[in-house]
Amino acid sequence: MSDGIRRLPTFAALSGQAVLDGHRKGASIQLDETYFAGQSRALRTADEFSPSERRLAGLRDSKETYERIDVRVESLTEQHLWEASRRFRRQLRTVPEVDYLDRQFPGRCFVVPEWLRTDNRLHYGARVYLFREDDAPTPEAVMRENVEAVVADSFEAFERYQGRLHGYPDCCIDFYQNRSPDSPSPEWQSVAPFADRIHDAALEAGPPESIEDVVPEFLDAEAEYAFFAREFFPEPGCETARTKGRVIHDALAATIDEGLVEDYFKLTFGFNYLVAQAVHTGGDRRPAPGDLGREHLLFYAPLGELTTLPRYS
């Protein structure tokens, strides 16, 4: 595992390593306030961590630069949205964190705008993609797929494309897009078979002390390896997803502490459970760093820092 990977936030480092190992086509990081603030909080949480002032300043500058970006779309046409995408991407490339991720990741790393259309409203964000050097689309190709889907009001087409970029099994992509008002959401159907492993009381009492309070025993059931990525909701019983997850687990555990890898899978499932719960109850809130315990916050710290802690050394 390279020094560059070890400098990435742990949740991104482990996803990125699975890409470099060839077990996923790609991975991504959503750039937002949660991402920037989570890292700053994590680096100040453990006494064993020794973040440089330069790194902390870079995160502050990145958050401020991102928040200052002015996004304007003249009208919802393909030409105008494409022009807005190009302007937005130029501004995103001035965010220091984008350059930091590009320098650290030993593969292909780039940032693109991300558009979403709901009820004739246009929402925007930013996503950094991680690919192997020899197996990456161009940023323009990703942007074009997104723009065309939004203008045509067929975001499902982009979701399918995006799922393949992340290396999700086609059967799980099909399952995720099979939504019906008469059935629970695919998110909830995906996590429901394992919901009894979640201690809801620990979540309802406030931020738990540890992920072990929420998911005390997780990897004792082979099917649970299917949850190998944040916001990936596998089809219940999918053997392809389970096998892929087990391969990712074993490859990571061969190079770093197995307890850290198991926490990664616990946290990933817990994260997906909270997302599914929000969707199921009509909410849209993504889990904030620490919602699943101390380890959830610490996974925003660099992997290299995390491996110095007694829990993972």
Side-chain angles (χ1 to χ4, degrees):
M1 193 171 289
S2 71
D3 289 341
I5 281 285
R6 290 179 177 274
R7 295 188 188 103
L8 297 181
T10 299
F11 75 89
L14 300 186
S15 296
Q17 188 60 48
V19 172
L20 295 174
D21 289 341
H23 304 313
R24 294 181 60 183
K25 178 177 177 60
S28 70
I29 304 165
Q30 186 172 352
L31 287 189
D32 55 15
E33 193 277 337
T34 294
Y35 173 79
F36 298 124
Q39 289 189 77
S40 296
R41 282 184 57 206
L43 286 168
R44 292 185 171 94
T45 291
D47 294 336
E48 296 91 336
F49 293 171
S50 54
S52 68
E53 188 55 40
R54 180 178 179 182
R55 178 61 181 145
L56 293 173
L59 289 167
R60 288 195 300 270
D61 291 347
S62 295
K63 181 175 179 291
E64 292 170 3
T65 302
Y66 182 75
E67 290 175 345
R68 285 197 303 267
I69 292 177
D70 183 26
V71 179
R72 299 184 184 184
V73 182
E74 188 172 335
S75 65
L76 194 56
T77 66
E78 191 169 317
Q79 178 182 347
H80 287 150
L81 192 55
W82 177 252
E83 291 171 353
S85 295
R86 294 180 66 185
R87 289 193 300 271
F88 190 10
R89 176 167 150 76
R90 283 196 296 270
Q91 292 175 294
L92 288 171
R93 294 177 71 184
T94 69
V95 176
E97 184 71 3
V98 171
D99 178 65
Y100 178 83
L101 293 171
D102 186 32
R103 286 187 288 108
Q104 303 309 322
F105 185 67
R108 182 80 171 96
C109 174
F110 58 77
V111 66
V112 293
E114 191 162 87
W115 306 97
L116 175 64
R117 180 180 176 184
T118 59
D119 299 326
N120 291 320
R121 293 186 59 193
L122 190 62
H123 310 268
Y124 64 86
R127 189 172 295 275
V128 173
Y129 280 93
L130 309 174
F131 296 100
R132 293 183 298 282
E133 198 68 57
D134 60 350
D135 191 25
T138 64
E140 292 76 16
V142 180
M143 290 162 58
R144 180 65 70 184
E145 291 279 348
N146 190 193
V147 166
E148 290 178 354
V150 167
V151 172
D153 200 15
S154 60
F155 196 72
E156 295 81 4
F158 183 65
E159 283 183 328
R160 180 174 294 277
Y161 173 77
Q162 197 174 43
R164 288 172 175 163
L165 288 184
H166 285 81
Y168 302 156
D170 283 343
C171 55
C172 295
I173 296 172
D174 291 339
F175 160 76
Y176 185 75
Q177 294 198 315
N178 185 22
R179 295 179 178 272
S180 167
D182 300 323
S183 303
S185 68
E187 290 90 345
W188 187 251
Q189 292 181 57
S190 180
V191 304
F194 310 103
D196 61 348
R197 297 181 181 275
I198 291 282
H199 284 190
D200 284 308
L203 293 170
E204 293 166 359
E209 187 70 25
S210 168
I211 184 60
E212 292 181 346
D213 296 329
V214 181
V215 191
E217 297 294 336
F218 183 63
L219 295 179
D220 59 338
E222 287 283 308
E224 295 162 349
Y225 285 106
F227 295 92
F228 59 79
R230 283 185 175 190
E231 297 185 79
F232 166 56
F233 297 94
E235 182 178 16
C238 178
E239 182 67 18
T240 302
R242 186 202 67 79
T243 299
K244 183 184 287 285
R246 182 59 194 253
V247 168
I248 290 171
H249 172 277
D250 292 350
L252 292 173
T255 58
I256 57 176
D257 179 76
E258 185 171 7
L260 191 154
V261 180
E262 292 191 358
D263 277 357
Y264 170 72
F265 275 82
K266 285 183 179 181
L267 288 166
T268 300
F269 176 74
F271 187 98
N272 290 356
Y273 176 81
L274 291 181
V275 170
Q277 190 177 57
V279 173
H280 189 58
T281 58
D284 60 0
R285 180 177 174 274
R286 297 171 68 245
D291 279 358
L292 290 162
R294 186 170 186 264
E295 298 86 358
H296 183 198
L297 176 60
L298 291 177
F299 265 60
Y300 281 81
L303 175 60
E305 295 278 12
L306 221 62
T307 57
T308 67
L309 300 179
R311 180 179 177 93
Y312 300 129
S313 60

